[in-house]
Amino acid sequence: MNNLCVAHRGFSGKAPENTLAAFRMAMELPYVTWMEIDVQLTRDGVPVVIHDYSLDRTTNGHGKVKDMDWSQMRRLDAGGWKSRSFRGERVPSLEEVLELSKERMRLNIELKNAGNLYPGIEKTVTQLLASKGMSKDVVLTSFDTGTLQGCQEADPAVRRGLIFDSRWGDPAGRVRELGCSFLSIAFTRLTPGLARFMSARGVGLMAWTVNKAKEMRRLADMHSDIMICTNRPDIWGDTFLGV
């Protein structure tokens, strides 16, 4: 099966997204080879794994990620909102996730940095990756083109990818202009022509977020190189492997 399974924020269909519980649950499935995670910085500069700029939806905290120190954030409950069985799950640091996934899983790390919200995040993250010997095991992705350029300046060896979710525009052209080798695109925006064009040029391609078997099959029929990013990797397994 060429259409690789990417666990979106871990096994976020069953466990609280972007937590160690969700990552461990995804890693228990042998066919999951990639995970997609989101990274921001605390006020004191620690890279943390959380999607929203606000703490309110996925933790029992309030306010902005950027306004909270790591010592405060690590005390928040990031699992109880999903179910009582996940109470006590924490917002993990990127370092914790790297240590968990090293030599076991590759990572698509989205840098949440709209409007240069986190100056220096590119250098902070690339240095951490280098210190863990994982610079070749990840792709750094972002909607923000300035962030992607910053990643190139911080460490040209780390693979970079553009995230695209626009009804209009030229994603292939933007990838070329930015010198990226990866395109992360909403599955509803992906066409057979674009998939063929990207694949022929050696550009990695990931479609998100795909949670229905019929859409997974449609993408697989479109092109074998399309990575399928899903909250439900178990559905991917049922669809393609019958497990």
Side-chain angles (χ1 to χ4, degrees):
M1 184 64 218
N2 291 329
N3 296 94
L4 299 179
C5 183
V6 184
H8 183 238
R9 307 177 197 170
F11 199 152
S12 56
K14 291 191 174 180
E17 65 180 61
N18 279 327
T19 62
L20 295 181
F23 301 142
R24 290 190 180 105
M25 192 176 291
M27 292 168 69
E28 289 174 357
L29 302 175
Y31 50 83
V32 175
T33 54
W34 282 78
M35 294 190 297
E36 187 272 349
I37 68 175
D38 307 279
V39 170
Q40 301 182 56
L41 295 181
T42 61
R43 182 166 53 190
D44 48 348
V46 176
V48 290
V49 180
I50 185 170
H51 177 269
D52 295 5
Y53 292 115
S54 168
L55 297 162
D56 296 58
R57 181 176 67 87
T58 60
T59 80
N60 62 345
H62 302 286
K64 303 294 186 183
V65 173
K66 69 181 182 64
D67 295 328
M68 183 164 287
D69 291 336
W70 172 234
S71 61
Q72 300 170 293
M73 183 170 291
R74 69 191 308 176
R75 294 195 294 268
L76 299 178
D77 186 323
W81 66 273
K82 187 76 171 179
S83 78
R84 286 184 294 179
S85 62
F86 290 109
R87 283 178 180 170
E89 281 297 316
R90 306 301 178 190
V91 176
S93 67
L94 176 58
E95 184 172 14
E96 289 175 305
V97 178
L98 294 179
E99 290 172 350
L100 178 68
S101 61
K102 186 174 183 179
E103 299 180 352
R104 300 174 65 190
M105 193 76 54
R106 302 188 72 183
L107 298 176
N108 176 336
I109 302 174
E110 178 181 348
L111 300 184
K112 310 285 290 186
N113 194 32
N116 201 32
L117 183 66
Y118 298 114
I121 189 173
E122 305 92 345
K123 185 176 181 180
T124 298
V125 170
T126 54
Q127 286 182 340
L128 180 57
L129 291 170
S131 74
K132 298 295 181 182
M134 296 181 66
S135 298
K136 302 296 186 182
D137 299 327
V138 308
V139 58
L140 298 180
T141 60
S142 185
F143 285 99
D144 188 78
T145 57
T147 298
L148 293 173
Q149 292 164 344
C151 291
Q152 171 70 12
E153 294 167 2
D155 188 345
V158 179
R159 192 179 184 191
R160 297 172 301 127
L162 175 69
I163 307 175
F164 190 86
D165 183 25
S166 175
R167 192 176 299 274
W168 314 109
D170 177 15
R174 296 295 290 145
V175 167
R176 183 178 63 252
E177 290 168 9
L178 291 164
C180 293
S181 61
F182 194 89
L183 174 64
S184 174
I185 187 168
F187 80 92
T188 55
R189 304 285 183 245
L190 188 54
T191 65
L194 178 59
R196 289 193 299 269
F197 186 87
M198 293 284 93
S199 180
R201 284 152 182 78
V203 176
L205 191 60
M206 188 188 81
W208 51 269
T209 304
V210 193
N211 294 322
K212 294 182 179 179
K214 66 177 182 179
E215 294 295 351
M216 293 180 184
R217 293 192 192 98
R218 182 180 69 83
L219 290 166
D221 290 341
M222 187 182 296
H223 204 289
S224 61
D225 287 350
I226 299 170
M227 301 167 69
I228 296 175
C229 186
T230 178
N231 298 333
R232 292 294 305 270
D234 55 331
I235 293 178
W236 186 101
D238 290 341
T239 301
F240 297 118
L241 303 177
V243 297

